[in-house]
Amino acid sequence: MSFATRAYSVAALMSLVLASSPAMSEQLNADDVLSRLNSQRDLWKDAASGTFSATRSLAGGGTRGLQVIKATDLGISDEAQPLPDDGRTEIAVGGTGQGAADVIEAAAGAYGQFQADMRIELEINFSLDSAALAASEAEKLQVMCNALRQSDFVVRVVGHTDSRGSDAYNMQLSLLRAREVARHFVEDCGIPADRLEVMGLGEAVPANPGDPRADENRRVEFQAVG
């Protein structure tokens, strides 16, 4: 089974188990973000302690869930792979490329797919083949920045792309974009680098499995892992 087929199969399975993703235009304030981060961290703690179950009832009503998927099942390797020559241009990277971003290590091992009303996702618009964060897009991160300043959460920044480009290219692009968002949090928001992880999933987990090329698949996700 090809990587693209395997990744799509995993995404299709998750769409059956969990509710669909909320609209990316959903407006969350800092309190909303903190509440979701707290719920996410509780579920991750359950998973790590061995008391994790597929779903868990939380205070306030409703059943909310987390599905933990091994990174290897999504075709993610710990070994860096060179970009293929598939006609794409070299990825333009934002920021300084030095300092804070260099001490943020990519997370490996597992990806957590949260139920829709626990997710924190933003559609950050990057230029084609670019991981440079424009000032207008950085403004979208202000609520998340404020929430992180008010808390001690360790947050994973997860980059996602649509299906344009090769699998390897999209994986690299999503990781560079996640690193750029993390760099912004460190250098512009003052968040300690040791409170941030980055992960790139490329096109492996689309928000819209029915249309892998849809704009909403290009997004940045935030998860409290500690």
Side-chain angles (χ1 to χ4, degrees):
M1 182 183 295
S2 70
F3 166 74
T5 302
R6 180 173 65 253
Y8 183 83
S9 297
V10 172
L13 173 63
M14 290 188 295
S15 69
L16 293 175
V17 175
L18 300 174
S20 61
S21 179
M24 220 66 61
S25 61
E26 179 183 17
Q27 297 298 311
L28 300 177
N29 59 37
D31 288 340
D32 296 329
V33 169
L34 289 171
S35 177
R36 294 192 182 197
L37 290 174
N38 190 63
S39 295
Q40 291 177 357
R41 181 166 64 179
D42 284 348
L43 286 176
W44 273 116
K45 286 182 177 179
D46 283 354
S49 67
T51 61
F52 174 77
S53 60
T55 58
R56 173 184 173 186
S57 294
L58 300 176
T63 301
R64 299 172 180 177
L66 164 66
Q67 183 175 6
V68 180
I69 304 169
K70 293 181 180 178
T72 52
D73 291 339
L74 293 173
I76 300 172
S77 171
D78 290 335
E79 298 181 2
Q81 300 293 329
L83 289 177
D85 182 9
D86 62 356
R88 309 280 286 185
T89 62
E90 182 177 354
I91 300 172
V93 179
T96 62
Q98 303 295 324
D102 294 336
V103 300
I104 301 170
E105 297 182 358
Y111 166 71
Q113 176 72 49
F114 289 97
Q115 191 159 311
D117 59 357
M118 292 178 65
R119 298 177 201 164
I120 305 170
E121 298 178 316
L122 290 174
E123 188 174 341
I124 304 296
N125 295 315
F126 293 90
S127 298
L128 182 65
D129 298 327
S130 175
L133 185 64
S136 59
E137 298 305 301
E139 292 177 0
K140 298 179 181 179
L141 298 168
Q142 190 58 48
V143 170
M144 192 70 195
C145 177
N146 293 340
L148 291 176
R149 285 172 175 165
Q150 298 173 38
S151 67
D152 62 353
F153 292 109
V154 176
V155 171
R156 177 178 297 169
V157 183
V158 185
H160 300 272
T161 70
D162 59 25
S163 63
R164 296 175 177 85
S166 69
D167 296 335
Y169 183 91
N170 288 336
M171 194 70 72
Q172 180 77 344
L173 180 61
S174 65
L175 178 59
L176 289 175
R177 288 176 172 177
R179 285 177 177 168
E180 169 69 350
V181 171
R183 180 206 62 78
H184 170 75
F185 285 146
V186 173
E187 297 182 2
D188 299 323
C189 297
I191 307 303
D194 60 5
R195 288 180 51 202
L196 296 165
E197 297 180 350
V198 292
M199 174 181 274
L201 292 184
E203 62 189 86
V205 188
N208 183 354
D211 184 3
R213 296 172 65 91
D215 291 347
E216 59 262 34
N217 294 324
R218 301 194 299 270
R219 67 201 191 280
V220 179
E221 181 180 1
F222 306 98
Q223 300 187 346
V225 295

